Each structure stands twice: as structure tokens, then as C-alpha cells.
Amino acid sequence: PNVAAICVYPLFVETVKQALTAQEIKIASVAGGFPSSQTFTEVKIAETAMAVMQGSDEIDVVMNLGYFMEDNFEELTEELQEIKESCRHAHLKVILETGALVTAEKIKMCDIVPEAGADFIKTSTGKGYPGATFEAAYTMCKAIKTYHSITGNKVGIKISGGVRTAEDAVRYYTIVKEILGNEWLNKDLFRIGASSLVGDIEKRLGK
């Protein structure tokens, strides 16, 4: 199978759309002041809407860490809800930047993100902070499971930022399988960022 999505900056969405010939590959675009998220909410909304107009099927935004660290969950939720509305038909993947949250307890508090309309929660950007960890993935999966048990809604998980070896990918796969079950083991609910991983996979396949 092909990759689930190709993720690019907003300016390159149209280029990918014109060049892409493989079927069933989504076009994802980072938006919302990526990778720091430190810009005006209005800019985030506008950039998201413009990326969708260019052809993005998915939008990746970084959660506002300032709001989160200050426990300003009301404004954080409102901002994400407004970004979600500007996505229209596109799916919203919210990057938690788990490397900045430090503790599992802090990461667990991100269960508010699905309530704001996120279709996926994602570990990290891989820029500026430590990337994905097994502890973060475990904690996020537990939060997703709890959210699903309460609401019946399924939220996807993406592991990204520093996944470099096939062994690591298998470990993340196993965490998702053991906590969320086989029904999450598909491209609609589980992704691994492969920009660093692909070299190791190609080497092992002898290509």
C-alpha cells in the first residue's frame, strides 16, 4: 500500500495536487503558524481555510502551548474549534508537542483536544522539542480510549518526530494495538511520520 498522506507546507499543496498520480493518498498541509503556533488566531483560521481551498484533505496544526501551560483551556478549545470550522470537509490533526509537556500527567490533560473537534492527535513536530516517546504514545492512547468509551467517537493517533527505526515503529504499532485494539490499525486512525523512518525501511528491503 502507499503512504496514507503527503504532508507539505501550504504553498506546495497545489503542486502536490497537480503532480500526484497515485490513488487514495491524502494531501496534508501544516497550518496555523507551524511549527510554533505563536500567531494570531485569525491568521491560523485564514491559513487553514486557504490550504483547504488549495486542495488539502488534512490540516496539521500545533496546539497553542501558551494557553495549555497557563491552564487556559477555554481559549485553547475555542481556538481549535474555530480552526476546525475553517477546515470544512478536511480532517484536523492537532499536534500536542509532547516533548514540551514533560510529564505523562500533562499529556493526559490533552484529552480536551478531541472535545474541540480534532480528528487526530499527534505527538510532535520534531522541531525545537524532543520528538515522540513510548510513554507519550501510551498516555495518548489511554486518553483516546477513555474518550471513545465516554462518547463513542474514534479519534486517530499519529506518532511523529524522531521515529527512525523499524524497531521503534513496531513498538509504537504494538502500543496502539494493545491499548486501542485492531480496529485502530488502519490509515484512518493510526499514522507514523515516516520522513526519518523511510531510509531505514528502504535499507532493510535492500532498495
Side-chain angles (χ1 to χ4, degrees), residues 96-153:
L96 307 183
E97 203 66 282
T98 54
L101 303 181
V102 183
T103 67
E105 191 58 37
K106 257 306 188 195
I107 297 169
K108 187 177 180 181
M109 290 169 65
C110 291
D111 57 7
I112 64 170
V113 174
E115 296 175 17
D119 299 292
F120 262 78
I121 55 175
K122 181 174 170 180
T123 52
S124 55
T125 62
K127 303 178 186 298
Y129 292 99
T133 64
F134 302 122
E135 182 182 31
Y138 176 86
T139 305
M140 289 165 64
C141 284
K142 295 289 281 186
I144 289 172
K145 185 174 184 178
T146 300
Y147 180 74
H148 178 249
S149 69
I150 295 171
T151 67
N153 298 326

Short mmCIF file of all heavy atoms in Angstrom, two decimals, residues 96-153:
data_model
loop_
_atom_site.label_atom_id
_atom_site.label_comp_id
_atom_site.label_asym_id
_atom_site.label_seq_id
_atom_site.Cartn_x
_atom_site.Cartn_y
_atom_site.Cartn_z
N LEU A 96 0.32 17.90 19.70
CA LEU A 96 0.38 18.27 21.11
C LEU A 96 1.74 18.82 21.51
O LEU A 96 1.85 19.51 22.51
CB LEU A 96 0.06 17.05 21.98
CG LEU A 96 -1.24 16.30 21.69
CD1 LEU A 96 -1.43 15.17 22.69
CD2 LEU A 96 -2.44 17.24 21.69
N GLU A 97 2.77 18.49 20.75
CA GLU A 97 4.16 18.82 21.09
C GLU A 97 4.49 18.24 22.46
O GLU A 97 4.80 18.93 23.44
CB GLU A 97 4.39 20.34 21.07
CG GLU A 97 5.85 20.73 20.85
CD GLU A 97 6.39 20.33 19.48
OE1 GLU A 97 6.70 19.14 19.28
OE2 GLU A 97 6.51 21.21 18.60
N THR A 98 4.39 16.91 22.54
CA THR A 98 4.53 16.21 23.82
C THR A 98 5.89 16.41 24.46
O THR A 98 6.01 16.33 25.69
CB THR A 98 4.27 14.69 23.64
OG1 THR A 98 5.13 14.19 22.60
CG2 THR A 98 2.82 14.44 23.26
N GLY A 99 6.92 16.68 23.67
CA GLY A 99 8.24 16.90 24.24
C GLY A 99 8.31 18.13 25.12
O GLY A 99 9.20 18.25 25.98
N ALA A 100 7.38 19.06 24.94
CA ALA A 100 7.33 20.26 25.76
C ALA A 100 6.48 20.07 27.02
O ALA A 100 6.54 20.88 27.94
CB ALA A 100 6.78 21.43 24.95
N LEU A 101 5.68 19.03 27.04
CA LEU A 101 4.75 18.83 28.15
C LEU A 101 5.40 18.08 29.32
O LEU A 101 4.90 18.13 30.43
CB LEU A 101 3.51 18.08 27.67
CG LEU A 101 2.77 18.75 26.50
CD1 LEU A 101 1.53 17.95 26.12
CD2 LEU A 101 2.37 20.18 26.86
N VAL A 102 6.48 17.38 29.04
CA VAL A 102 7.38 16.76 30.03
C VAL A 102 6.75 15.55 30.73
O VAL A 102 7.27 14.44 30.66
CB VAL A 102 7.88 17.78 31.07
CG1 VAL A 102 8.85 17.11 32.03
CG2 VAL A 102 8.56 18.95 30.37
N THR A 103 5.65 15.73 31.45
CA THR A 103 5.12 14.64 32.27
C THR A 103 3.93 13.96 31.61
O THR A 103 3.20 14.56 30.82
CB THR A 103 4.67 15.15 33.65
OG1 THR A 103 3.54 16.03 33.48
CG2 THR A 103 5.79 15.88 34.34
N ALA A 104 3.73 12.71 31.95
CA ALA A 104 2.58 11.95 31.44
C ALA A 104 1.27 12.59 31.90
O ALA A 104 0.28 12.58 31.16
CB ALA A 104 2.66 10.50 31.92
N GLU A 105 1.28 13.15 33.11
CA GLU A 105 0.06 13.78 33.63
C GLU A 105 -0.33 14.97 32.78
O GLU A 105 -1.52 15.18 32.49
CB GLU A 105 0.28 14.22 35.08
CG GLU A 105 -1.00 14.64 35.79
CD GLU A 105 -2.07 13.56 35.83
OE1 GLU A 105 -1.71 12.38 35.98
OE2 GLU A 105 -3.25 13.91 35.70
N LYS A 106 0.66 15.75 32.34
CA LYS A 106 0.38 16.89 31.47
C LYS A 106 -0.18 16.42 30.13
O LYS A 106 -1.13 16.98 29.59
CB LYS A 106 1.64 17.70 31.22
CG LYS A 106 1.80 19.00 31.99
CD LYS A 106 0.64 19.95 31.82
CE LYS A 106 0.96 21.30 32.44
NZ LYS A 106 -0.22 22.14 32.61
N ILE A 107 0.45 15.37 29.58
CA ILE A 107 -0.01 14.84 28.29
C ILE A 107 -1.44 14.32 28.41
O ILE A 107 -2.26 14.53 27.51
CB ILE A 107 0.93 13.71 27.81
CG1 ILE A 107 2.34 14.26 27.56
CG2 ILE A 107 0.40 13.05 26.54
CD1 ILE A 107 3.40 13.20 27.35
N LYS A 108 -1.75 13.69 29.54
CA LYS A 108 -3.09 13.15 29.75
C LYS A 108 -4.14 14.24 29.73
O LYS A 108 -5.29 14.02 29.31
CB LYS A 108 -3.13 12.39 31.08
CG LYS A 108 -4.42 11.64 31.33
CD LYS A 108 -4.36 10.86 32.64
CE LYS A 108 -5.66 10.12 32.89
NZ LYS A 108 -5.63 9.37 34.17
N MET A 109 -3.76 15.43 30.18
CA MET A 109 -4.71 16.56 30.19
C MET A 109 -5.12 16.99 28.79
O MET A 109 -6.08 17.72 28.62
CB MET A 109 -4.08 17.74 30.95
CG MET A 109 -3.96 17.50 32.45
SD MET A 109 -2.94 18.76 33.28
CE MET A 109 -3.95 20.22 33.02
N CYS A 110 -4.39 16.51 27.78
CA CYS A 110 -4.72 16.87 26.40
C CYS A 110 -5.96 16.15 25.90
O CYS A 110 -6.30 16.25 24.72
CB CYS A 110 -3.54 16.57 25.48
SG CYS A 110 -2.13 17.65 25.76
N ASP A 111 -6.65 15.42 26.81
CA ASP A 111 -7.90 14.79 26.39
C ASP A 111 -8.97 15.83 26.04
O ASP A 111 -10.01 15.49 25.48
CB ASP A 111 -8.42 13.82 27.45
CG ASP A 111 -8.64 14.50 28.81
OD1 ASP A 111 -8.51 15.73 28.90
OD2 ASP A 111 -8.94 13.78 29.78
N ILE A 112 -8.68 17.10 26.33
CA ILE A 112 -9.62 18.15 25.93
C ILE A 112 -9.56 18.41 24.42
O ILE A 112 -10.48 18.96 23.85
CB ILE A 112 -9.35 19.47 26.67
CG1 ILE A 112 -7.97 20.05 26.31
CG2 ILE A 112 -9.47 19.30 28.16
CD1 ILE A 112 -7.73 21.44 26.79
N VAL A 113 -8.46 18.01 23.78
CA VAL A 113 -8.28 18.31 22.35
C VAL A 113 -9.31 17.61 21.48
O VAL A 113 -9.90 18.24 20.59
CB VAL A 113 -6.83 17.99 21.90
CG1 VAL A 113 -6.67 18.16 20.41
CG2 VAL A 113 -5.85 18.89 22.64
N PRO A 114 -9.60 16.31 21.68
CA PRO A 114 -10.66 15.69 20.89
C PRO A 114 -12.02 16.38 21.06
O PRO A 114 -12.80 16.49 20.11
CB PRO A 114 -10.70 14.25 21.41
CG PRO A 114 -9.33 13.99 21.89
CD PRO A 114 -8.88 15.30 22.49
N GLU A 115 -12.28 16.86 22.25
CA GLU A 115 -13.54 17.56 22.51
C GLU A 115 -13.65 18.84 21.69
O GLU A 115 -14.75 19.31 21.41
CB GLU A 115 -13.66 17.89 24.00
CG GLU A 115 -13.74 16.66 24.90
CD GLU A 115 -13.74 17.02 26.38
OE1 GLU A 115 -14.00 18.19 26.69
OE2 GLU A 115 -13.47 16.12 27.19
N ALA A 116 -12.50 19.40 21.31
CA ALA A 116 -12.50 20.62 20.50
C ALA A 116 -12.70 20.33 19.01
O ALA A 116 -12.80 21.25 18.21
CB ALA A 116 -11.20 21.38 20.71
N GLY A 117 -12.74 19.05 18.65
CA GLY A 117 -13.03 18.71 17.26
C GLY A 117 -11.91 18.06 16.49
O GLY A 117 -12.02 17.84 15.28
N ALA A 118 -10.80 17.73 17.17
CA ALA A 118 -9.68 17.10 16.47
C ALA A 118 -10.06 15.71 15.98
O ALA A 118 -10.67 14.93 16.72
CB ALA A 118 -8.47 17.00 17.39
N ASP A 119 -9.70 15.40 14.75
CA ASP A 119 -9.91 14.06 14.20
C ASP A 119 -8.74 13.14 14.55
O ASP A 119 -8.88 11.92 14.59
CB ASP A 119 -10.08 14.13 12.68
CG ASP A 119 -11.27 14.98 12.28
OD1 ASP A 119 -12.41 14.56 12.56
OD2 ASP A 119 -11.07 16.07 11.72
N PHE A 120 -7.59 13.75 14.76
CA PHE A 120 -6.36 13.04 15.14
C PHE A 120 -5.66 13.85 16.22
O PHE A 120 -5.72 15.07 16.22
CB PHE A 120 -5.38 12.97 13.95
CG PHE A 120 -5.40 11.69 13.17
CD1 PHE A 120 -6.39 11.44 12.25
CD2 PHE A 120 -4.39 10.74 13.32
CE1 PHE A 120 -6.40 10.27 11.49
CE2 PHE A 120 -4.37 9.58 12.58
CZ PHE A 120 -5.38 9.33 11.66
N ILE A 121 -4.97 13.17 17.13
CA ILE A 121 -3.99 13.85 17.95
C ILE A 121 -2.61 13.30 17.59
O ILE A 121 -2.47 12.12 17.27
CB ILE A 121 -4.26 13.73 19.47
CG1 ILE A 121 -4.40 12.28 19.92
CG2 ILE A 121 -5.49 14.53 19.84
CD1 ILE A 121 -4.55 12.13 21.43
N LYS A 122 -1.63 14.17 17.60
CA LYS A 122 -0.31 13.86 17.04
C LYS A 122 0.75 14.23 18.07
O LYS A 122 0.60 15.23 18.78
CB LYS A 122 -0.16 14.66 15.75
CG LYS A 122 1.12 14.48 14.98
CD LYS A 122 1.00 15.26 13.66
CE LYS A 122 2.31 15.34 12.92
NZ LYS A 122 2.18 16.10 11.65
N THR A 123 1.81 13.45 18.17
CA THR A 123 2.79 13.66 19.23
C THR A 123 3.54 14.97 19.09
O THR A 123 3.52 15.80 20.00
CB THR A 123 3.80 12.50 19.28
OG1 THR A 123 4.36 12.31 17.97
CG2 THR A 123 3.16 11.23 19.77
N SER A 124 4.23 15.18 17.97
CA SER A 124 5.15 16.32 17.94
C SER A 124 5.50 16.75 16.52
O SER A 124 5.21 16.04 15.54
CB SER A 124 6.45 15.96 18.68
OG SER A 124 7.00 14.78 18.15
N THR A 125 6.11 17.91 16.44
CA THR A 125 6.57 18.43 15.15
C THR A 125 7.95 17.89 14.79
O THR A 125 8.33 17.87 13.63
CB THR A 125 6.66 19.97 15.18
OG1 THR A 125 7.63 20.34 16.18
CG2 THR A 125 5.32 20.59 15.51
N GLY A 126 8.72 17.52 15.82
CA GLY A 126 10.12 17.15 15.60
C GLY A 126 11.01 18.36 15.43
O GLY A 126 12.17 18.25 15.04
N LYS A 127 10.48 19.54 15.73
CA LYS A 127 11.24 20.79 15.57
C LYS A 127 11.26 21.56 16.89
O LYS A 127 10.22 22.00 17.35
CB LYS A 127 10.60 21.65 14.48
CG LYS A 127 10.49 20.95 13.13
CD LYS A 127 9.80 21.85 12.09
CE LYS A 127 9.56 21.10 10.79
NZ LYS A 127 10.80 20.66 10.15
N GLY A 128 12.42 21.69 17.48
CA GLY A 128 12.54 22.53 18.66
C GLY A 128 12.37 21.81 19.99
O GLY A 128 12.89 22.25 21.01
N TYR A 129 11.60 20.72 20.01
CA TYR A 129 11.40 19.96 21.24
C TYR A 129 11.68 18.49 20.96
O TYR A 129 11.67 18.07 19.80
CB TYR A 129 9.95 20.10 21.72
CG TYR A 129 9.58 21.48 22.20
CD1 TYR A 129 8.89 22.35 21.37
CD2 TYR A 129 9.91 21.90 23.49
CE1 TYR A 129 8.55 23.63 21.80
CE2 TYR A 129 9.56 23.18 23.93
CZ TYR A 129 8.87 24.03 23.09
OH TYR A 129 8.54 25.28 23.52
N PRO A 130 11.90 17.70 22.01
CA PRO A 130 12.07 16.26 21.80
C PRO A 130 10.85 15.68 21.08
O PRO A 130 9.73 16.15 21.27
CB PRO A 130 12.19 15.71 23.23
CG PRO A 130 12.70 16.86 24.03
CD PRO A 130 12.08 18.08 23.42
N GLY A 131 11.09 14.66 20.27
CA GLY A 131 10.01 14.07 19.49
C GLY A 131 9.21 13.06 20.27
O GLY A 131 9.13 13.10 21.50
N ALA A 132 8.63 12.12 19.55
CA ALA A 132 7.75 11.12 20.14
C ALA A 132 8.50 10.24 21.14
O ALA A 132 9.69 9.99 21.00
CB ALA A 132 7.15 10.25 19.04
N THR A 133 7.78 9.78 22.15
CA THR A 133 8.30 8.80 23.10
C THR A 133 7.24 7.72 23.30
O THR A 133 6.05 7.95 23.05
CB THR A 133 8.63 9.42 24.48
OG1 THR A 133 7.41 9.90 25.08
CG2 THR A 133 9.63 10.55 24.34
N PHE A 134 7.68 6.56 23.77
CA PHE A 134 6.73 5.47 24.01
C PHE A 134 5.76 5.85 25.14
O PHE A 134 4.58 5.51 25.08
CB PHE A 134 7.48 4.18 24.36
CG PHE A 134 8.43 3.75 23.28
CD1 PHE A 134 9.78 3.59 23.55
CD2 PHE A 134 7.99 3.54 21.98
CE1 PHE A 134 10.67 3.21 22.55
CE2 PHE A 134 8.87 3.15 20.98
CZ PHE A 134 10.21 2.99 21.26
N GLU A 135 6.26 6.56 26.14
CA GLU A 135 5.40 6.99 27.24
C GLU A 135 4.30 7.93 26.74
O GLU A 135 3.13 7.80 27.12
CB GLU A 135 6.22 7.69 28.32
CG GLU A 135 5.38 8.12 29.52
CD GLU A 135 6.18 8.86 30.57
OE1 GLU A 135 7.16 9.55 30.21
OE2 GLU A 135 5.82 8.77 31.76
N ALA A 136 4.67 8.87 25.87
CA ALA A 136 3.69 9.81 25.33
C ALA A 136 2.64 9.06 24.51
O ALA A 136 1.43 9.32 24.62
CB ALA A 136 4.38 10.86 24.48
N ALA A 137 3.09 8.13 23.67
CA ALA A 137 2.16 7.37 22.84
C ALA A 137 1.20 6.56 23.71
O ALA A 137 -0.01 6.51 23.44
CB ALA A 137 2.94 6.44 21.91
N TYR A 138 1.73 5.93 24.76
CA TYR A 138 0.91 5.15 25.68
C TYR A 138 -0.15 6.04 26.34
O TYR A 138 -1.34 5.69 26.39
CB TYR A 138 1.81 4.51 26.75
CG TYR A 138 1.06 3.76 27.83
CD1 TYR A 138 0.69 2.43 27.65
CD2 TYR A 138 0.71 4.39 29.03
CE1 TYR A 138 0.00 1.75 28.65
CE2 TYR A 138 0.03 3.72 30.02
CZ TYR A 138 -0.32 2.39 29.83
OH TYR A 138 -1.02 1.73 30.81
N THR A 139 0.27 7.19 26.83
CA THR A 139 -0.64 8.10 27.53
C THR A 139 -1.72 8.62 26.58
O THR A 139 -2.90 8.70 26.96
CB THR A 139 0.14 9.29 28.13
OG1 THR A 139 1.19 8.79 28.96
CG2 THR A 139 -0.76 10.19 28.94
N MET A 140 -1.34 8.96 25.35
CA MET A 140 -2.30 9.45 24.37
C MET A 140 -3.31 8.36 24.00
O MET A 140 -4.51 8.63 23.86
CB MET A 140 -1.57 9.96 23.13
CG MET A 140 -0.81 11.26 23.37
SD MET A 140 0.38 11.65 22.08
CE MET A 140 -0.70 11.89 20.66
N CYS A 141 -2.83 7.13 23.86
CA CYS A 141 -3.74 6.03 23.54
C CYS A 141 -4.75 5.80 24.66
O CYS A 141 -5.93 5.55 24.40
CB CYS A 141 -2.95 4.75 23.27
SG CYS A 141 -2.14 4.67 21.67
N LYS A 142 -4.30 5.91 25.89
CA LYS A 142 -5.21 5.75 27.03
C LYS A 142 -6.27 6.86 27.04
O LYS A 142 -7.45 6.61 27.32
CB LYS A 142 -4.42 5.77 28.33
CG LYS A 142 -3.47 4.61 28.52
CD LYS A 142 -4.17 3.29 28.78
CE LYS A 142 -4.63 3.17 30.20
NZ LYS A 142 -5.19 1.81 30.49
N ALA A 143 -5.84 8.08 26.70
CA ALA A 143 -6.79 9.20 26.65
C ALA A 143 -7.81 8.99 25.54
O ALA A 143 -9.01 9.27 25.72
CB ALA A 143 -6.04 10.52 26.45
N ILE A 144 -7.35 8.51 24.39
CA ILE A 144 -8.25 8.23 23.27
C ILE A 144 -9.26 7.14 23.64
O ILE A 144 -10.45 7.23 23.32
CB ILE A 144 -7.45 7.82 22.02
CG1 ILE A 144 -6.70 9.03 21.45
CG2 ILE A 144 -8.36 7.21 20.96
CD1 ILE A 144 -5.73 8.68 20.34
N LYS A 145 -8.78 6.11 24.33
CA LYS A 145 -9.65 5.01 24.74
C LYS A 145 -10.73 5.51 25.70
O LYS A 145 -11.91 5.14 25.58
CB LYS A 145 -8.83 3.91 25.39
CG LYS A 145 -9.63 2.67 25.75
CD LYS A 145 -8.74 1.54 26.25
CE LYS A 145 -9.55 0.29 26.52
NZ LYS A 145 -8.67 -0.83 26.97
N THR A 146 -10.33 6.35 26.65
CA THR A 146 -11.30 6.91 27.60
C THR A 146 -12.33 7.77 26.88
O THR A 146 -13.54 7.66 27.14
CB THR A 146 -10.57 7.75 28.68
OG1 THR A 146 -9.65 6.93 29.39
CG2 THR A 146 -11.57 8.35 29.65
N TYR A 147 -11.85 8.61 25.97
CA TYR A 147 -12.75 9.47 25.19
C TYR A 147 -13.74 8.63 24.39
O TYR A 147 -14.94 8.93 24.34
CB TYR A 147 -11.94 10.36 24.27
CG TYR A 147 -12.76 11.30 23.41
CD1 TYR A 147 -13.36 12.42 23.95
CD2 TYR A 147 -12.93 11.04 22.05
CE1 TYR A 147 -14.12 13.28 23.17
CE2 TYR A 147 -13.68 11.90 21.25
CZ TYR A 147 -14.28 13.01 21.82
OH TYR A 147 -15.03 13.85 21.03
N HIS A 148 -13.26 7.55 23.78
CA HIS A 148 -14.13 6.67 22.99
C HIS A 148 -15.17 5.98 23.87
O HIS A 148 -16.34 5.84 23.48
CB HIS A 148 -13.28 5.63 22.26
CG HIS A 148 -14.09 4.65 21.47
ND1 HIS A 148 -14.19 3.33 21.81
CD2 HIS A 148 -14.84 4.81 20.36
CE1 HIS A 148 -14.97 2.70 20.94
NE2 HIS A 148 -15.37 3.58 20.05
N SER A 149 -14.76 5.56 25.07
CA SER A 149 -15.70 4.88 25.97
C SER A 149 -16.82 5.81 26.45
O SER A 149 -17.93 5.36 26.71
CB SER A 149 -14.94 4.31 27.18
OG SER A 149 -14.46 5.35 28.01
N ILE A 150 -16.51 7.11 26.53
CA ILE A 150 -17.50 8.08 27.00
C ILE A 150 -18.40 8.56 25.87
O ILE A 150 -19.62 8.68 26.04
CB ILE A 150 -16.80 9.29 27.65
CG1 ILE A 150 -16.06 8.86 28.92
CG2 ILE A 150 -17.80 10.40 27.97
CD1 ILE A 150 -15.17 9.92 29.52
N THR A 151 -17.81 8.82 24.71
CA THR A 151 -18.56 9.46 23.61
C THR A 151 -18.93 8.51 22.47
O THR A 151 -19.83 8.80 21.69
CB THR A 151 -17.74 10.61 23.01
OG1 THR A 151 -16.57 10.08 22.36
CG2 THR A 151 -17.32 11.60 24.08
N GLY A 152 -18.18 7.42 22.35
CA GLY A 152 -18.40 6.53 21.21
C GLY A 152 -17.67 6.99 19.95
O GLY A 152 -17.71 6.32 18.92
N ASN A 153 -16.99 8.13 20.03
CA ASN A 153 -16.27 8.68 18.87
C ASN A 153 -14.83 8.19 18.84
O ASN A 153 -14.16 8.12 19.87
CB ASN A 153 -16.27 10.22 18.92
CG ASN A 153 -17.67 10.78 18.85
OD1 ASN A 153 -18.54 10.23 18.19
ND2 ASN A 153 -17.90 11.89 19.55
#
